[in-house]
Amino acid sequence: MVTIRPPSTSALATLNLMFRTPAPPDPTEFAGKRAVVTGGSRGIGAAIAQRLLDGGATVVTTARNASDETPKAATFIQGDIGTLAGVQAFTAAALNELGGVDIVVNNAAAARAHLGGVSSIPDEEWLDALYLNYLSAVRVNNALLPALREAGAGGAIVNISSGAALTPAPPLAHYGAAKAALNTYGKALATELAPAGIRVNTIIPGNVLTPGADAIRQNFADAMNVELAATTASIPLGRPGDPRDIAEAVAYLASDRAQWVTGVSLPVDGGELPVI
């Protein structure tokens, strides 16, 4: 089992110099839209919540705990959506806060790497991976679907998967398997909801620098006796991802710019992941 340790901030500082900030978002793009973002306290989830806020949406987010990265303009509801009861409590509170929903982003995720490989992953961690990384999205969507349908055509669900679903490494087999299930589920749900005008798409991030992912990469680097930078050196576009890269993709898929896009699994990876 890998012991997670706090990552160095040097890689994140370097990334901030490499990420080219796009033109400021249209502050009216999501005006009047109500959005739910799970796992929005830090990293990719916080960037997604902030991007939707910047576009004019009203945002509710959740995680086990808030952090300094949690967007202050979002309503934060503490909770654990790794359980059915936690999902029910959160979605009820979110709907009470928003009065309805137009955009759902399922970003909540967690992984614990086991350098001993697939056979070293305890049974309970296979279940934990399934509950948080896959079933939480199924349950959140099921709970919010009546409100999405009531809002009418134009609703959008974006599920955040992982490159681990396409290139499964033995230490993260449980995580990759859960995310692979999320990819398949998203395609099926997109087909089912298309007649209602509700679009469902999946984003597959590559190597994005976040506190949690960077800690896992650091432990892989330590095990291989290489520098942390070596774990992202093969990315064709020359740098690891920034959470804002994923947030921009979410903004596109949640917007009317993607009104004829559904059932897509979109890698946002700098060119690193295999063709799907």
Side-chain angles (χ1 to χ4, degrees):
M1 181 179 72
V2 170
T3 300
I4 300 298
R5 62 172 178 160
S8 167
T9 59
S10 59
L12 290 173
T14 300
L15 181 61
N16 282 330
L17 298 176
M18 300 173 68
F19 179 82
R20 297 192 303 275
T21 302
D26 177 358
T28 68
E29 181 174 30
F30 298 114
K33 298 292 186 180
R34 302 154 297 181
V36 168
V37 179
T38 68
S41 65
R42 64 177 188 165
I44 290 173
I48 292 168
Q50 187 61 60
R51 178 61 179 81
L52 294 174
L53 287 163
D54 291 343
T58 303
V59 178
V60 167
T61 188
T62 189
R64 289 188 175 97
N65 296 288
S67 79
D68 291 341
E69 292 182 51
T70 308
K72 300 299 185 289
T75 297
F76 178 78
I77 299 173
Q78 186 175 26
D80 179 5
I81 62 169
T83 68
L84 177 57
V87 168
Q88 291 171 334
F90 166 65
T91 53
L95 289 175
N96 183 64
E97 177 71 24
L98 294 171
V101 67
D102 305 283
I103 299 167
V104 179
V105 183
N106 291 293
N107 172 72
R112 179 181 296 182
H114 291 263
L115 295 182
V118 179
S119 61
S120 71
I121 302 170
D123 186 73
E124 62 271 16
E125 290 198 29
W126 285 95
L127 291 173
D128 287 345
L130 180 71
Y131 290 145
L132 181 60
N133 300 297
Y134 170 53
L135 281 178
S136 68
V138 175
R139 290 165 167 171
V140 166
N141 290 340
N142 284 346
L144 296 178
L145 268 176
L148 277 168
R149 290 183 183 275
E150 185 177 341
I157 296 172
V158 183
N159 299 320
I160 309 300
S161 181
S162 169
L166 305 183
T167 55
L172 290 170
H174 52 329
Y175 176 69
K179 289 299 192 180
L182 183 65
N183 295 353
T184 301
Y185 158 76
K187 181 67 174 179
L189 188 63
T191 301
E192 180 173 307
L193 296 182
I198 300 170
R199 297 177 298 103
V200 183
N201 292 291
T202 301
I203 290 175
I204 305 176
N207 270 300
V208 178
L209 294 187
T210 67
D214 215 41
I216 290 174
R217 281 189 292 269
Q218 183 66 65
N219 279 279
F220 284 156
D222 291 346
M224 295 183 291
N225 197 29
V226 299
E227 295 296 320
L228 177 61
T231 64
T232 57
S234 64
I235 299 172
L237 279 181
R239 68 165 174 86
D242 183 293
R244 292 168 290 182
D245 290 311
I246 309 305
E248 287 298 326
V250 169
Y252 167 69
L253 290 175
S255 75
D256 288 341
R257 289 174 288 147
Q259 62 188 274
W260 207 51
V261 179
T262 196
V264 166
S265 291
L266 174 65
V268 182
D269 62 342
E272 183 179 22
L273 297 172
V275 173
I276 58 172

